Amino acid sequence: MKIRIGIAALSLALVGASAPQSHSVYLDNGLALTPPMGWNSWNHFGCNVSESLIRETADSMAANGMRDAGYKYVVIDDCWQVARAADGTIIADSTRFPHGIAALADYVHSKGLKFGIYTDAGTKTCQGRPGTYGHEVQDARTYAAWHVDYVKEDWCNASGLDAPTQYAKFRDALAHSGRKIVFSICEWGHNQPWDWAPKTGNLWRTTEDIEDKWPSMLTNLDISAQHSKIAGPGAWNDPDMLEVGNGGMTDGEYRAHFSMWAMMAAPLLAGNDVRTMSAATKAILLNPEVIAVDQDSLGAQGVIVWEPTPELQVWSKRLHDGSIAVALLNRSTAPAKISANFWRAGLHVGSASVRDLWAHADLGTFKNEYATTVAAHAVVMIRVKPVG
Ligand code: GLA
């Protein structure tokens, strides 16, 4: 396993009050140079996964614009596996996956998508299925043989185990599997992953599981935001999968959720039923201008630059072309005016052009700041470009 010095981290987090990261060491498997995008079964379907669900989801993603917008990983979460064979090989549920996982991966690939799967570092998964403990090399080889492109490794039933050691074991197993596989670490931020996960995985969960509720979304935002300096190409903080379209928040709240995940350069893993989503949900998940902020090649994670009250925040994210993305986030229950000062947001210019990324409209040139009224539980997201 090659390890490279993450030079990108040197240039990160130059906006706002946070000091630049002096150096960091990143896993260098050449993958996830921008935050992974795709879909994962867990948030909407839980254990109710099957071959037909995955095939239909892949069909929908290829047809509804998601694949072409960048959502490429189709990931089956927990409950696909039932047992181990006498030789230790992991066995999929043959009732739910009658043609096996390899055939399903091939089908997903035939749609121009990539295929991901879930395991657990402990003896059992969170739903009591076989974990990978003691079978790391064997499982990584099996996944490679099945043409898996992405593995999420959870942390249930792992008491007494050391997280950095176990995750490094699986990283090395993947590295020797003969296939390029994105590695997603999921230990919920319990073992300070920001200190070791960048050299171990391509993304690591920073939080407990998200719930489809406004306060839960904000909690995960606030926790992941504390580790902005460590994120960069190939190594991302993961505040958990998206709840957009699952019904527990309003469309305005989902727009804020999606915007803030993009501001944080978070993985964008849709967690809804993409076969039946509403036009409003689709418009959120497919907003190309917000996706472009998430996927910006600089790989900087945005930070809070101004907080006139704890409920009114201005966030800023540096982009590769010298512009910045700015989110005016109103966490309160009443509409409020929020001003984004360009200097505070990291643009040392007098005038800048402003584009609204949800209205898809150029708003004109503004001097020193952009101010607007933001609805309750909502965001205004703009791209600010220096003029002159
Ligand atoms: C944990 C993870 C979730 C999901 C479930 C599956 O709770 O954090 O994302 O994978 O396990 O059981």
Side-chain angles (χ1 to χ4, degrees):
M1 173 63 50
K2 267 192 306 169
I3 302 283
R4 84 182 142 83
I5 299 295
I7 299 168
L10 294 173
S11 59
L12 298 183
L14 290 178
V15 294
S18 56
Q21 176 78 15
S22 58
H23 75 279
S24 79
V25 181
Y26 286 168
L27 169 68
D28 183 17
N29 60 6
L31 300 170
L33 297 181
T34 61
M37 290 177 68
W39 174 89
N40 174 299
S41 53
W42 183 254
N43 282 356
H44 191 86
F45 296 95
C47 267
N48 196 15
V49 288
S50 66
E51 178 178 301
S52 54
L53 169 69
I54 302 303
R55 288 170 75 111
E56 287 168 22
T57 298
D59 290 346
S60 296
M61 289 170 72
N64 69 11
M66 286 184 78
R67 178 195 63 197
D68 298 339
Y71 292 91
K72 63 180 177 187
Y73 294 100
V74 179
V75 184
I76 315 181
D77 208 277
D78 208 345
C79 302
W80 63 267
Q81 63 285 72
V82 283
R84 287 194 182 275
D87 70 354
T89 306
I90 189 92
I91 298 176
D93 182 332
S94 60
T95 309
R96 289 175 172 270
F97 298 90
H99 297 92
I101 302 295
L104 186 54
D106 288 349
Y107 184 81
V108 169
H109 290 145
S110 78
K111 293 284 158 181
L113 293 157
K114 291 185 177 289
F115 181 74
I117 213 162
Y118 163 101
T119 187
D120 187 290
T123 51
K124 285 190 160 83
T125 72
C126 295
Q127 302 304 315
R129 308 306 176 93
T132 201
Y133 183 70
H135 294 273
E136 291 84 358
V137 170
Q138 185 177 28
D139 284 353
R141 283 199 188 130
T142 301
Y143 298 154
W146 288 348
H147 296 164
V148 166
D149 306 295
Y150 180 115
V151 175
K152 168 178 172 181
E153 190 180 37
D154 215 338
W155 190 238
C156 278
N157 303 299
S159 65
L161 298 177
D162 176 59
T165 305
Q166 294 310 124
Y167 282 102
K169 206 180 268 181
F170 206 73
R171 169 199 67 195
D172 295 343
L174 289 176
H176 294 112
S177 72
R179 190 168 170 89
K180 292 258 183 207
I181 299 178
V182 171
F183 187 28
S184 161
I185 293 173
C186 177
E187 54 70 79
W188 324 300
H190 286 191
N191 303 274
Q192 289 77 44
W194 32 88
D195 290 340
W196 50 268
K199 64 177 186 297
T200 309
N202 295 109
L203 58 157
W204 53 89
R205 282 274 296 277
T206 48
T207 68
E208 303 291 338
D209 289 5
I210 193 169
E211 290 171 62
D212 188 14
K213 295 175 185 155
W214 176 253
S216 166
M217 185 277 287
L218 290 179
T219 299
N220 285 15
L221 168 68
D222 293 342
I223 294 170
S224 228
Q226 293 168 23
H227 308 290
S228 61
K229 281 184 275 174
I230 200 68
W236 309 102
N237 288 305
D238 176 8
D240 206 359
M241 302 165 300
L242 297 165
E243 291 284 10
V244 176
N246 277 336
M249 293 187 237
T250 65
D251 288 336
E253 290 172 337
Y254 282 139
R255 267 192 293 279
H257 172 20
F258 194 68
S259 300
M260 297 318 297
W261 262 229
M263 291 297 292
M264 289 198 292
L268 297 180
L269 292 159
N272 59 320
D273 187 346
V274 301
R275 302 168 304 176
T276 57
M277 65 183 158
S278 68
T281 296
K282 193 169 155 195
I284 295 170
L285 290 175
L286 291 181
N287 183 327
E289 301 194 71
V290 174
I291 291 173
V293 169
D294 181 76
Q295 294 290 299
D296 187 78
S297 58
L298 190 61
Q301 180 171 329
V303 294
I304 298 179
V305 292
W306 181 238
E307 207 173 19
T309 79
E311 296 204 304
L312 305 177
Q313 298 177 329
V314 179
W315 294 68
S316 175
K317 179 186 198 287
R318 276 195 331 129
L319 304 173
H320 77 280
D321 65 352
S323 64
I324 54 171
V326 174
L328 291 74
L329 175 64
N330 182 358
R331 306 163 65 124
S332 80
T333 50
K337 189 167 177 191
I338 305 181
S339 305
N341 178 285
F342 300 152
W343 275 70
R344 247 182 230 131
L347 269 195
H348 296 167
V349 293
S351 293
S353 67
V354 173
R355 181 170 173 81
D356 186 318
L357 304 187
W358 285 107
H360 304 297
D362 290 325
L363 302 180
T365 299
F366 292 79
K367 214 166 176 264
N368 300 328
E369 67 170 25
Y370 175 74
T372 193
T373 298
V374 184
H377 285 198
V379 84
V380 167
M381 188 165 169
I382 55 176
R383 187 159 180 149
V384 184
K385 207 171 196 162
V387 170

